[in-house]
Tab-separated table of all heavy atoms in Angstrom:
chain	number	residue	atom	x	y	z
W	228	MET	N	9.030	-8.094	21.163
W	228	MET	CA	7.658	-8.174	20.642
W	228	MET	C	7.581	-7.696	19.195
W	228	MET	O	6.890	-8.289	18.364
W	228	MET	CB	6.726	-7.329	21.519
W	228	MET	CG	6.494	-7.881	22.912
W	228	MET	SD	5.616	-6.687	23.970
W	228	MET	CE	4.150	-6.357	22.995
W	229	LEU	N	8.311	-6.617	18.879
W	229	LEU	CA	8.280	-6.064	17.533
W	229	LEU	C	8.921	-7.025	16.531
W	229	LEU	O	8.403	-7.228	15.428
W	229	LEU	CB	8.999	-4.712	17.514
W	229	LEU	CG	8.900	-3.902	16.227
W	229	LEU	CD1	7.445	-3.583	15.890
W	229	LEU	CD2	9.713	-2.604	16.354
W	230	ASN	N	10.034	-7.626	16.918
W	230	ASN	CA	10.671	-8.603	16.042
W	230	ASN	C	9.750	-9.786	15.771
W	230	ASN	O	9.658	-10.284	14.644
W	230	ASN	CB	11.979	-9.097	16.669
W	230	ASN	CG	13.091	-8.068	16.587
W	230	ASN	OD1	13.063	-7.183	15.739
W	230	ASN	ND2	14.074	-8.176	17.476
W	231	SER	N	9.050	-10.239	16.810
W	231	SER	CA	8.124	-11.352	16.650
W	231	SER	C	6.961	-10.974	15.742
W	231	SER	O	6.550	-11.751	14.871
W	231	SER	CB	7.588	-11.779	18.026
W	231	SER	OG	6.577	-12.762	17.896
W	232	LEU	N	6.442	-9.762	15.918
W	232	LEU	CA	5.309	-9.291	15.120
W	232	LEU	C	5.665	-9.212	13.641
W	232	LEU	O	4.916	-9.680	12.778
W	232	LEU	CB	4.869	-7.910	15.626
W	232	LEU	CG	3.732	-7.210	14.874
W	232	LEU	CD1	2.420	-7.938	15.114
W	232	LEU	CD2	3.625	-5.748	15.320
W	233	LEU	N	6.821	-8.626	13.348
W	233	LEU	CA	7.217	-8.394	11.963
W	233	LEU	C	7.807	-9.631	11.310
W	233	LEU	O	7.454	-9.993	10.184
W	233	LEU	CB	8.208	-7.230	11.895
W	233	LEU	CG	7.676	-5.888	12.415
W	233	LEU	CD1	8.787	-4.837	12.398
W	233	LEU	CD2	6.480	-5.413	11.597
W	234	HIS	N	8.720	-10.290	11.991
W	234	HIS	CA	9.367	-11.468	11.414
W	234	HIS	C	8.442	-12.675	11.415
W	234	HIS	O	8.670	-13.631	10.684
W	234	HIS	CB	10.661	-11.781	12.152
W	234	HIS	CG	11.705	-10.716	11.960
W	234	HIS	ND1	12.871	-10.695	12.691
W	234	HIS	CD2	11.742	-9.642	11.155
W	234	HIS	CE1	13.604	-9.643	12.313
W	234	HIS	NE2	12.930	-8.994	11.383
W	235	GLY	N	7.399	-12.634	12.236
W	235	GLY	CA	6.431	-13.720	12.269
W	235	GLY	C	5.359	-13.587	11.215
W	235	GLY	O	4.480	-14.446	11.105
W	236	GLY	N	5.399	-12.502	10.444
W	236	GLY	CA	4.469	-12.364	9.336
W	236	GLY	C	3.067	-11.946	9.714
W	236	GLY	O	2.151	-12.022	8.896
W	237	ARG	N	2.856	-11.461	10.945
W	237	ARG	CA	1.513	-11.041	11.343
W	237	ARG	C	1.227	-9.596	10.949
W	237	ARG	O	0.081	-9.148	10.973
W	237	ARG	CB	1.333	-11.217	12.862
W	237	ARG	CG	1.517	-12.653	13.311
W	237	ARG	CD	1.124	-12.874	14.750
W	237	ARG	NE	1.894	-12.131	15.710
W	237	ARG	CZ	3.132	-12.440	16.111
W	237	ARG	NH1	3.747	-13.497	15.576
W	237	ARG	NH2	3.764	-11.718	17.015
W	238	ALA	N	2.266	-8.867	10.620
W	238	ALA	CA	2.111	-7.473	10.196
W	238	ALA	C	3.033	-7.214	9.011
W	238	ALA	O	4.014	-7.931	8.793
W	238	ALA	CB	2.427	-6.516	11.342
W	239	VAL	N	2.693	-6.193	8.248
W	239	VAL	CA	3.447	-5.826	7.050
W	239	VAL	C	4.014	-4.425	7.204
W	239	VAL	O	3.304	-3.497	7.592
W	239	VAL	CB	2.539	-5.868	5.795
W	239	VAL	CG1	3.287	-5.339	4.576
W	239	VAL	CG2	2.047	-7.278	5.539
W	240	LEU	N	5.298	-4.289	6.939
W	240	LEU	CA	5.923	-2.971	6.828
W	240	LEU	C	5.997	-2.616	5.353
W	240	LEU	O	6.385	-3.449	4.532
W	240	LEU	CB	7.340	-2.986	7.412
W	240	LEU	CG	7.471	-2.904	8.934
W	240	LEU	CD1	8.923	-3.107	9.330
W	240	LEU	CD2	6.970	-1.568	9.469
W	241	ARG	N	5.632	-1.386	5.031
W	241	ARG	CA	5.581	-1.005	3.609
W	241	ARG	C	6.149	0.392	3.424
W	241	ARG	O	5.666	1.350	4.026
W	241	ARG	CB	4.139	-1.055	3.138
W	241	ARG	CG	3.906	-0.520	1.734
W	241	ARG	CD	2.536	-0.955	1.288
W	241	ARG	NE	2.034	-0.240	0.135
W	241	ARG	CZ	0.974	-0.618	-0.571
W	241	ARG	NH1	0.320	-1.708	-0.209
W	241	ARG	NH2	0.557	0.070	-1.597
W	242	CYS	N	7.171	0.498	2.607
W	242	CYS	CA	7.720	1.798	2.240
W	242	CYS	C	7.072	2.227	0.932
W	242	CYS	O	7.035	1.471	-0.040
W	242	CYS	CB	9.237	1.730	2.079
W	242	CYS	SG	9.978	3.343	1.691
W	243	ASP	N	6.562	3.449	0.915
W	243	ASP	CA	5.879	3.968	-0.262
W	243	ASP	C	6.370	5.384	-0.521
W	243	ASP	O	7.004	6.003	0.335
W	243	ASP	CB	4.375	3.968	-0.038
W	243	ASP	CG	3.603	3.552	-1.279
W	243	ASP	OD1	4.134	3.761	-2.391
W	243	ASP	OD2	2.482	3.037	-1.139
W	244	ALA	N	6.036	5.893	-1.710
W	244	ALA	CA	6.478	7.240	-2.086
W	244	ALA	C	5.382	7.952	-2.861
W	244	ALA	O	4.463	7.313	-3.402
W	244	ALA	CB	7.752	7.171	-2.926
W	245	ALA	N	5.464	9.260	-2.905
W	245	ALA	CA	4.545	10.053	-3.717
W	245	ALA	C	4.766	9.666	-5.170
W	245	ALA	O	5.786	10.010	-5.764
W	245	ALA	CB	4.802	11.539	-3.488
W	246	HIS	N	3.803	8.929	-5.747
W	246	HIS	CA	4.019	8.301	-7.041
W	246	HIS	C	4.304	9.303	-8.156
W	246	HIS	O	5.122	9.047	-9.043
W	246	HIS	CB	2.814	7.433	-7.412
W	246	HIS	CG	1.511	8.165	-7.391
W	246	HIS	ND1	0.894	8.546	-6.232
W	246	HIS	CD2	0.705	8.592	-8.400
W	246	HIS	CE1	-0.236	9.181	-6.516
W	246	HIS	NE2	-0.367	9.232	-7.825
W	247	LEU	N	3.664	10.467	-8.127
W	247	LEU	CA	3.904	11.453	-9.183
W	247	LEU	C	5.333	11.974	-9.137
W	247	LEU	O	5.961	12.195	-10.170
W	247	LEU	CB	2.909	12.611	-9.052
W	247	LEU	CG	1.437	12.249	-9.270
W	247	LEU	CD1	0.547	13.463	-9.046
W	247	LEU	CD2	1.222	11.682	-10.672
W	248	HIS	N	5.871	12.145	-7.945
W	248	HIS	CA	7.252	12.609	-7.797
W	248	HIS	C	8.258	11.512	-8.134
W	248	HIS	O	9.416	11.794	-8.415
W	248	HIS	CB	7.487	13.121	-6.377
W	248	HIS	CG	6.757	14.391	-6.069
W	248	HIS	ND1	7.319	15.641	-6.225
W	248	HIS	CD2	5.487	14.616	-5.643
W	248	HIS	CE1	6.441	16.570	-5.901
W	248	HIS	NE2	5.316	15.969	-5.540
W	249	ALA	N	7.797	10.263	-8.073
W	249	ALA	CA	8.687	9.142	-8.378
W	249	ALA	C	8.609	8.721	-9.845
W	249	ALA	O	9.270	7.775	-10.251
W	249	ALA	CB	8.333	7.945	-7.490
W	250	GLY	N	7.796	9.418	-10.641
W	250	GLY	CA	7.748	9.153	-12.068
W	250	GLY	C	6.631	8.241	-12.527
W	250	GLY	O	6.534	7.916	-13.708
W	251	TRP	N	5.754	7.821	-11.593
W	251	TRP	CA	4.628	6.961	-11.957
W	251	TRP	C	3.406	7.851	-12.111
W	251	TRP	O	2.725	8.188	-11.152
W	251	TRP	CB	4.426	5.885	-10.895
W	251	TRP	CG	5.661	5.053	-10.718
W	251	TRP	CD1	6.667	5.274	-9.830
W	251	TRP	CD2	6.043	3.925	-11.495
W	251	TRP	NE1	7.656	4.341	-9.989
W	251	TRP	CE2	7.305	3.484	-11.000
W	251	TRP	CE3	5.451	3.221	-12.537
W	251	TRP	CZ2	7.969	2.395	-11.527
W	251	TRP	CZ3	6.119	2.129	-13.065
W	251	TRP	CH2	7.355	1.717	-12.565
W	252	ARG	N	3.103	8.212	-13.347
W	252	ARG	CA	2.105	9.249	-13.620
W	252	ARG	C	0.673	8.742	-13.685
W	252	ARG	O	-0.264	9.534	-13.572
W	252	ARG	CB	2.455	9.949	-14.952
W	252	ARG	CG	3.808	10.644	-14.937
W	252	ARG	CD	3.782	11.858	-14.038
W	252	ARG	NE	5.104	12.467	-13.889
W	252	ARG	CZ	5.331	13.563	-13.177
W	252	ARG	NH1	4.334	14.165	-12.567
W	252	ARG	NH2	6.552	14.053	-13.066
W	253	SER	N	0.480	7.457	-13.916
W	253	SER	CA	-0.871	6.927	-14.080
W	253	SER	C	-1.040	5.621	-13.305
W	253	SER	O	-0.108	4.829	-13.184
W	253	SER	CB	-1.189	6.673	-15.560
W	253	SER	OG	-1.195	7.873	-16.296
W	254	THR	N	-2.237	5.442	-12.789
W	254	THR	CA	-2.617	4.207	-12.108
W	254	THR	C	-3.942	3.745	-12.677
W	254	THR	O	-4.832	4.560	-12.913
W	254	THR	CB	-2.773	4.435	-10.589
W	254	THR	OG1	-1.580	5.006	-10.067
W	254	THR	CG2	-3.040	3.130	-9.871
W	255	ALA	N	-4.078	2.453	-12.885
W	255	ALA	CA	-5.337	1.922	-13.423
W	255	ALA	C	-5.630	0.568	-12.790
W	255	ALA	O	-4.726	-0.150	-12.348
W	255	ALA	CB	-5.263	1.781	-14.939
W	256	THR	N	-6.917	0.240	-12.742
W	256	THR	CA	-7.362	-1.082	-12.302
W	256	THR	C	-8.069	-1.745	-13.465
W	256	THR	O	-8.982	-1.165	-14.062
W	256	THR	CB	-8.327	-0.970	-11.103
W	256	THR	OG1	-7.669	-0.299	-10.025
W	256	THR	CG2	-8.766	-2.356	-10.636
Side-chain angles (χ1 to χ4, degrees):
M228 291 170 56
L229 188 60
N230 286 337
S231 174
L232 177 70
L233 300 176
H234 294 170
R237 300 189 298 283
V239 174
L240 281 173
R241 173 166 165 167
C242 182
D243 220 333
H246 55 287
L247 295 177
H248 291 267
W251 302 92
R252 299 290 174 178
S253 296
T254 305
T256 301

